[in-house]
């Protein structure tokens, strides 16, 4: 009952924020226990949680606590670090602006300089600003694409990337020395302004950042940019100002904003969507309606802090289909490498970075261009870490980085995924393919034909509370101690355990060391080229299952995917309590993606009846159209 003692301390605190007092009175016993039984976890990804009272919730007191830990960490680095200071940005969520100011006021008590954006700004701009202003650290108040009940707190180092494990551990150690977050003192805003310890920033940084994004364009003179019709939704988030500005700088003029989701005033309830996540097809529904009215060729959607980008394009039937993060990453990589090779800008020591759960289609594309692929752990901070390493040692030249969860990076002056860069570049790619009588969709079809029919899926199980955490741990323990030798009759040939940092070749009984940081991740490679990865979410009470397959046809890939998923979950269910409990699963290949597969088959049938041209970017694919009889036959 330790949680009850903590609860009583909060309940009896006379200066408790009034709205938190009211919430406490309305909470059930289960809610109180969940809010007080532990503290919000802080790590390399910062912290994220539901809003509300208690140490296991996001509120001004937990924000002060983590900020005081950061302040102690900066103090240890010396006077110069305090003078360089901290840049603070925030998104459109409940309490975001207040949390940003509380962070600045907490740092001010330690005489640490702060630069706070006067209005909401994207995460990638925060990363850029840390580097541009030579700040020592950055804070981003956001819960990314989580539902409206959440908020979060990310910490960035002076390289503009999220903190490495050693720095995060040190901050956590300072946080553990704080006995009661309710009694942390903060400085007055007006005092900080008067003493020049607090500065508000905004428009000037916007111009510099957008100019940098503009410098990444591959083709400045492309008339089709003005002709391309684009619909954009920021999903009630920070991209509403910056993304259209960047698109205009790239030369795009026909940009339609989804006004219901781009109002000047923040909508922290995300009232037009169930979840402000561009990975979800539901979040695109309003943009699709706009697209049908305007005839737009490209639909863009960014999450509330504008680090993730989702897109929808027209297929051969002129219907909108949503592309996955893996598919868009492949398109961006292919376009960038093709254009750089044309201009002679592709260095011989080029490298592409991706995470271990990202599709191997990108690796196949990179290999053809002579570009090395390096895999990192899940999380963009690991991609940023590699970029910093290569820049210091001058061993490789970074060309592109991405992860399956809709995160992409083109220019490395930003050290986190950047939807502003990605939106501008994918729009340029769309305009380019239009100029040669093709489209993004048709280019993706060519990539599949050339490299293989790659398909990926993600499923997850959500289990809240301490019991849920224990069950997630039990699943991973079972998968380690009772090593699966096959899934659905297909042999496991290799296992990578990133916690023990061991790579096991099952048939050869050979072991290798994995030269990556420890992480609670398992990855199984199957004899037919398929793979499965399992990991707990770092920000939510979930265990995630990633699947990847490839084959010589789309039909075979779909069959393998269905079989693989079924057998993995059969294995999990029969060995855990889950067989008696409902759980939620989400797949990439759902809804619109089935129309994508249908149109894809018609494309393949058409190509089988033609002499195949070399699948390169210069071919005119405007003639590749399925006939109506083919579509009906399908």
């Amino acid at each position: 009952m330790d949680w009850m003692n903590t609860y009583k301390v909060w309940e009896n605190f006379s200066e408790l924020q009034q709205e938190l007092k009211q919430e406490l009175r309305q909470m059930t016993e289960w809610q109180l226990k969940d809010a007080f039984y532990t503290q919000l976890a802080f790590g390399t990804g910062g912290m994220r949680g539901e809003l509300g009272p208690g140490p296991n919730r996001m509120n001004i007191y937990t924000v002060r606590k983590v900020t005081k830990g950061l302040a102690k960490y900066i103090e240890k680095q010396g006077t110069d670090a305090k003078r360089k200071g901290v840049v603070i940005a925030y998104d459109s969520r409940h309490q975001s602006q207040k949390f940003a100011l509380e962070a600045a006021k907490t740092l001010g008590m330690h005489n640490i300089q702060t630069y706070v954006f006067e209005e909401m700004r994207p995460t990638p701009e925060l990363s850029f600003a840390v580097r541009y202003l030579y700040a020592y650290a950055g804070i981003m108040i956001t819960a990314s694409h989580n539902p409206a009940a959440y908020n979060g707190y990310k910490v960035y180092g002076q390289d503009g990337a999220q903190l490495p494990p050693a720095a995060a551990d040190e901050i956590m150690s300072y946080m553990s020395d704080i006995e009661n977050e309710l009694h942390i003192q903060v400085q007055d805003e007006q005092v900080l302004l008067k003493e020049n310890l607090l500065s508000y920033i905004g428009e000037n940084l916007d111009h510099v950042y957008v100019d940098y994004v503009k410098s990444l364009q591959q083709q400045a003179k492309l008339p089709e940019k003005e002709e391309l019709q684009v619909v954009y939704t920021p999903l009630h988030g920070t991209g509403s100002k910056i993304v259209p500005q960047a698109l205009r700088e790239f030369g795009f003029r026909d940009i339609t904003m989804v006004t219901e989701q781009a109002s000047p005033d923040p909508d922290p309830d995300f009232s037009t969507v169930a979840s402000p996540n561009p990975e979800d097809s539901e979040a695109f529904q309003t943009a699709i309606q706009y697209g049908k009215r305007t005839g737009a060729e490209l639909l863009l959607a960014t999450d509330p802090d504008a680090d993730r980008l989702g897109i929808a394009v027209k297929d051969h039937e002129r219907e909108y289909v949503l592309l996955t993060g893996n598919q868009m990453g492949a398109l961006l990589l292919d376009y960038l490498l093709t254009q750089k090779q044309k201009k002679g800008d592709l260095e011989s020591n080029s490298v592409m970075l991706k995470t271990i759960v990202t599709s191997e289609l990108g690796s196949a594309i990179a290999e053809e261009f002579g570009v090395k692929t390096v895999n990192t752990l899940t999380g963009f901070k690991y991609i940023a870490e590699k970029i910093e390493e290569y820049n210091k040692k001058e061993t490789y030249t970074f060309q592109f980085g991405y992860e399956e969860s809709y995160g992409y990076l083109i220019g490395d002056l930003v050290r986190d995924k950047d939807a502003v860069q990605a939106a501008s570049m994918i729009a340029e790619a769309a305009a380019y393919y239009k100029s040669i009588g093709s489209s993004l969709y048709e280019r993706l079809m060519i990539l599949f034909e050339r490299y293989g029919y790659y398909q990926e899926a993600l499923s997850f199980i959500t289990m809240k509370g301490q019991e849920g955490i224990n069950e997630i741990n039990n699943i991973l323990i079972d998968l380690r101690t009772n090593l699966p030798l096959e899934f659905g009759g297909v042999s496991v040939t290799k296992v990578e355990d990133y916690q023990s940092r061991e790579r096991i070749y099952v048939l050869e009984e050979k072991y290798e060391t994995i030269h990556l940081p420890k992480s609670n991740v398992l990855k199984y490679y199957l004899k037919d080229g398929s793979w499965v990865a399992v990991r707990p979410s770092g920000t939510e009470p979930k265990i995630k299952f990633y699947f990847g397959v490839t084959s010589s046809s789309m039909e075979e890939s779909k069959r393998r995917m269905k079989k693989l998923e079924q057998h993995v979950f059969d294995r999990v269910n029969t060995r855990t309590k889950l067989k008696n409990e409902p759980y939620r699963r989400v797949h990439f290949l759902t809804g619109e993606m089935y129309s994508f597969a249908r149109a894809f088959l018609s494309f393949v049938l058409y190509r089988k009846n033609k002499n195949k041209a070399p699948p390169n970017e210069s071919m005119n694919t405007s003639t590749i159209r399925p006939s109506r009889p083919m579509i009906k036959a399908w």
Side-chain angles (χ1 to χ4, degrees):
M1 297 295 288
D2 287 346
W3 70 267
M4 183 64 76
N5 296 329
T6 307
Y7 159 65
K8 288 179 178 178
V9 170
W10 279 61
E11 184 186 38
N12 295 328
F13 182 54
S14 60
E15 298 176 28
L16 189 70
Q17 195 178 14
Q18 191 60 39
E19 61 191 75
L20 295 181
K21 278 186 181 180
Q22 293 174 357
E23 283 188 59
L24 277 178
R25 299 188 187 108
Q26 298 168 1
M27 292 168 72
T28 66
E29 183 176 347
W30 186 92
Q31 290 172 324
L32 288 170
K33 181 178 179 180
D34 192 56
F36 288 93
Y37 86 95
T38 189
Q39 299 184 19
L40 272 181
F42 177 82
T44 55
M47 67 181 190
R48 192 182 302 183
E50 294 181 55
L51 290 156
N56 195 31
R57 293 289 185 268
M58 284 293 298
N59 50 65
I60 62 170
Y61 306 106
T62 52
V63 167
R64 288 173 182 175
K65 183 173 184 176
V66 67
T67 308
K68 188 169 182 66
L70 174 62
K72 299 290 284 184
Y73 171 77
I74 294 173
E75 280 183 328
K76 186 180 176 182
Q77 315 309 314
T79 305
D80 189 52
K82 293 171 64 175
R83 180 187 57 79
K84 287 182 175 179
V86 181
V87 185
I88 305 174
Y90 55 92
D91 68 6
S92 56
R93 292 176 175 274
H94 288 288
Q95 305 286 320
S96 282
Q97 186 173 21
K98 180 184 286 292
F99 290 167
L101 183 56
E102 288 297 323
K105 289 159 65 176
T106 305
L107 291 167
M109 285 295 293
H110 296 261
N111 294 312
I112 296 171
Q113 176 72 48
T114 56
Y115 304 91
V116 180
F117 277 96
E118 58 195 356
E119 295 176 333
M120 62 180 187
R121 288 297 190 280
T123 289
E125 187 173 1
L126 179 276
S127 174
F128 177 85
V130 170
R131 294 172 62 80
Y132 182 77
L133 295 173
Y134 296 96
Y136 195 79
I139 297 170
M140 182 70 201
I141 306 295
T142 180
S144 188
H145 57 290
N146 279 49
Y150 285 77
N151 212 325
Y153 184 113
K154 295 181 183 178
V155 183
Y156 290 75
Q158 58 184 330
D159 63 347
Q162 292 183 47
L163 286 183
D169 289 345
E170 190 170 343
I171 291 173
M172 278 191 285
S173 70
Y174 291 126
M175 290 171 64
S176 65
D177 293 336
I178 300 170
E179 292 185 6
N180 191 338
E181 57 275 323
L182 299 175
H183 296 295
I184 294 173
Q185 298 297 307
V186 297
Q187 187 56 275
D188 182 75
E189 178 188 7
Q190 295 305 315
V191 171
L192 294 176
L193 288 168
K194 185 177 180 180
E195 295 179 355
N196 293 319
L197 283 172
L198 168 61
S199 300
Y200 284 103
I201 57 175
E203 293 284 343
N204 291 338
L205 258 296
D206 294 344
H207 295 309
V208 178
Y209 170 61
V210 170
D211 283 346
Y212 171 66
V213 174
K214 182 183 178 182
S215 73
L216 301 174
Q217 67 182 331
Q218 299 300 305
Q219 300 186 67
K221 296 179 180 179
L222 193 62
E224 283 74 14
K225 286 184 179 181
E226 293 194 10
E227 299 172 9
L228 190 77
Q229 295 172 303
V230 179
V231 166
Y232 168 61
T233 172
L235 297 178
H236 303 288
T238 60
S240 57
K241 178 179 180 181
I242 301 299
V243 171
Q245 190 176 335
L247 287 169
R248 285 191 291 270
E249 288 296 321
F250 259 61
F252 296 97
R253 296 292 176 264
D254 196 347
I255 306 166
T256 302
M257 294 281 286
V258 179
T259 55
E260 301 96 317
Q261 299 169 342
S263 58
D265 299 321
D267 179 1
D269 291 316
F270 310 125
S271 57
T272 67
V273 292
S275 174
N277 186 352
E279 298 179 56
D280 294 343
S281 59
E282 185 275 336
F284 266 92
Q285 293 311 303
T286 307
I288 288 173
Q289 293 172 13
Y290 270 70
K292 288 178 177 178
R293 289 200 298 267
T294 62
E297 297 146 278
L298 178 64
L299 313 183
L300 305 171
T302 54
D303 65 345
D305 66 322
D307 62 350
R308 298 171 191 249
L309 173 72
I311 69 169
V313 298
K314 286 185 175 179
D315 64 11
H316 290 300
E317 295 178 307
R318 309 303 293 167
E319 295 293 330
Y320 289 111
V321 292
L322 275 62
L323 302 190
T324 69
N326 284 310
Q327 292 165 350
M328 183 177 158
L331 283 167
L332 280 170
L333 177 65
D334 173 65
Y335 175 73
L336 283 165
L337 297 185
T338 299
Q339 299 308 317
K340 288 188 176 185
Q341 188 177 71
K342 274 184 176 181
K343 295 184 291 185
D345 292 341
L346 195 58
E347 292 87 345
S348 59
N349 66 339
S350 293
V351 66
M352 183 272 287
L353 300 170
K354 72 177 190 66
T355 68
I356 58 175
V357 297
T358 298
S359 172
E360 291 303 319
L361 176 56
S363 303
I365 294 169
E367 183 180 8
E368 181 145 331
F369 284 89
V371 173
K372 180 182 176 67
T373 296
V374 172
N375 286 299
T376 72
L377 292 177
T378 305
F380 227 87
K381 57 182 173 287
Y382 296 110
I383 291 177
E385 192 176 72
K386 279 293 182 184
I387 294 172
E388 186 72 6
E389 175 189 325
Y390 296 151
N391 284 352
K392 285 181 178 178
K393 296 181 179 179
E394 298 183 351
T395 49
Y396 292 105
T397 300
F398 171 77
Q399 295 294 345
F400 184 65
Y402 76 116
E403 59 184 5
E404 45 75 35
S405 55
Y406 293 62
Y408 324 93
L409 184 64
I410 300 160
D412 66 358
L413 280 185
V414 173
R415 294 295 173 84
D416 206 344
K417 47 189 175 285
D418 189 337
V420 184
Q421 291 185 23
S424 304
M425 193 61 68
I426 201 67
E428 178 179 296
Y432 170 71
Y433 292 125
K434 181 177 182 178
S435 75
I436 61 171
S438 184
S439 68
L440 286 172
Y441 179 82
E442 290 175 344
R443 184 61 185 172
L444 183 60
M445 299 301 103
I446 291 172
L447 295 180
F448 279 148
E449 269 202 12
R450 183 168 194 170
Y451 299 107
Y453 300 94
Y454 287 82
Q455 185 179 335
E456 296 78 28
L458 167 67
S459 299
F460 61 77
I461 303 169
T462 300
M463 290 177 281
K464 292 187 176 183
Q466 186 60 51
E467 290 182 2
I469 293 172
N470 292 340
E471 191 58 38
I472 287 172
N473 290 333
N474 288 338
I475 292 171
L476 285 157
I477 290 170
D478 176 66
L479 287 170
R480 281 192 171 92
T481 56
N482 300 291
L483 185 68
L485 297 180
E486 56 86 22
F487 288 112
V490 182
S491 300
V492 174
T493 59
K494 184 172 66 176
V495 180
E496 290 177 341
D497 187 339
Y498 290 88
Q499 186 157 281
S500 64
R501 299 173 72 189
E502 276 189 325
R503 181 178 292 112
I504 306 165
Y505 294 89
V506 178
L507 301 179
E508 297 93 334
E509 296 184 5
K510 186 174 70 174
Y511 296 81
E512 287 179 352
T513 300
I514 297 173
H515 299 287
L516 287 174
K518 285 186 177 183
S519 184
N520 193 10
V521 183
L522 286 164
K523 187 171 183 180
Y524 303 90
Y525 296 83
L526 278 61
K527 190 175 181 179
D528 65 357
S530 304
W531 57 267
V532 180
V534 187
R535 61 179 281 266
S537 171
T539 55
E540 300 170 273
K542 296 176 180 178
I543 182 168
K544 294 185 174 183
F545 298 82
Y546 301 83
F547 304 89
V549 301
T550 184
S551 73
S552 59
S553 72
M554 176 64 84
E555 295 74 28
E556 177 62 14
S557 289
K558 287 172 65 178
R559 186 192 69 79
R560 288 185 183 182
M561 178 63 72
K562 184 177 180 180
K563 184 177 179 182
L564 181 60
E565 287 186 292
Q566 184 63 54
H567 283 275
V568 167
F569 278 100
D570 284 347
R571 167 66 160 72
V572 171
N573 291 348
T574 56
R575 303 185 71 93
T576 68
K577 295 189 301 183
L578 293 173
K579 58 186 175 183
N580 297 318
E581 297 176 8
Y583 55 85
R584 182 184 178 199
R585 294 172 61 188
V586 171
H587 305 280
F588 285 158
L589 192 70
T590 55
E592 291 83 354
M593 290 307 296
Y594 283 111
S595 66
F596 178 96
R598 180 189 63 203
F600 182 89
L601 180 64
S602 67
F603 172 87
V604 173
L605 291 172
Y606 179 86
R607 290 297 295 271
K608 282 182 178 178
N609 295 323
K610 300 293 258 183
N611 293 325
K612 289 188 178 181
N616 55 48
E617 59 83 26
S618 62
M619 69 181 290
N620 187 328
T621 56
S622 62
T623 59
I624 302 176
R625 304 277 183 198
S627 66
R628 283 292 160 188
M630 289 178 185
I631 294 171
K632 288 178 180 177
W634 164 246

